[in-house]
Amino acid sequence: MHVSAFVVTCSDSRDAAHDGSGKDLREGLSAAGHTVAGHTVVKDDPEAIRGALAQAQAAGARAVLFTGGTGIGRRDCTVETLRALFEKELPGFGELFRMLSYQQIGSPAMMSRATAGTYQGMILFALPGSPQAVRLALEALILPELGHAVRELTR
């Protein structure tokens, strides 16, 4: 099953011209046959993140992939913003991501707060801002299950 997806980069320091992680997500989704309904770069700010989610919903996205704002920095707020909206959280996504990440980078993996959950018929993924981490999450976890996860949302 191919899915309509939307990519959101949450960053105070990147703009569209310097958004390698967002580009990697869009290219990976497209290469796997999914439709990219849109993408945006927003500040690490709850209101901006919620606005991007509304934009994704208006574009008809069934999956929204957020990159950035999942660390432990003072301004990192993507996880808190999305968790407040989740109808159902998918803790296994974050657990598996950290396990795979640990195999690649070691102990710094524990500082990732990557997570996923559902919201109004969509599945949301919150990923680190690192291109390496984005590619790992996309290839090992998201792409193999994206169609299945969205199909489950309609059961």
Side-chain angles (χ1 to χ4, degrees), residues 24 87 133 148 155:
D24 287 347
E87 294 160 353
H148 178 227
R155 292 184 64 197

Side-chain angles (χ1 to χ4, degrees), residues 3-7 37-38 55-64 120-123:
V3 172
S4 177
F6 198 96
V7 175
Q55 185 181 352
Q57 195 170 28
R62 297 299 309 279
V64 187
Q120 297 187 359
M122 297 180 290
I123 187 159

Side-chain angles (χ1 to χ4, degrees):
M1 175 177 174
H2 293 137
V3 172
S4 177
F6 198 96
V7 175
V8 179
T9 299
C10 306
S11 176
D12 290 339
S13 60
R14 290 191 204 135
D15 58 20
H18 301 95
D19 180 21
S21 294
K23 181 177 181 247
D24 287 347
L25 285 172
R26 293 190 308 274
E27 289 175 356
L29 288 161
S30 294
H34 300 290
T35 303
V36 178
H39 63 92
T40 189
V41 177
V42 298
K43 295 289 182 198
D44 240 343
D45 170 77
E47 187 175 322
I49 293 168
R50 287 189 296 270
L53 181 57
Q55 185 181 352
Q57 195 170 28
R62 297 299 309 279
V64 187
L65 288 72
F66 293 83
T67 176
T70 64
I72 60 172
R74 185 176 48 82
R75 295 269 305 144
D76 291 331
C77 66
T78 304
V79 172
E80 289 77 14
T81 303
L82 296 180
R83 271 200 180 126
L85 301 173
F86 284 166
E87 294 160 353
K88 295 184 181 190
E89 189 166 3
L90 302 171
F93 171 78
E95 294 162 359
L96 287 169
F97 174 77
R98 282 180 285 282
M99 179 199 71
L100 293 169
S101 186
Y102 179 78
Q103 292 171 353
Q104 285 191 354
I105 66 168
S107 60
M110 75 175 149
M111 289 186 272
S112 171
R113 297 181 307 129
T115 190
T118 65
Y119 174 71
Q120 297 187 359
M122 297 180 290
I123 187 159
L124 313 180
F125 295 94
L127 311 172
S130 150
Q132 179 183 358
V134 160
R135 287 189 299 272
L136 173 65
L138 190 64
E139 294 165 10
L141 299 171
I142 296 171
L143 290 178
E145 291 300 322
L146 187 57
H148 178 227
V150 169
R151 195 168 35 254
E152 287 296 309
L153 288 173
T154 62
R155 292 184 64 197

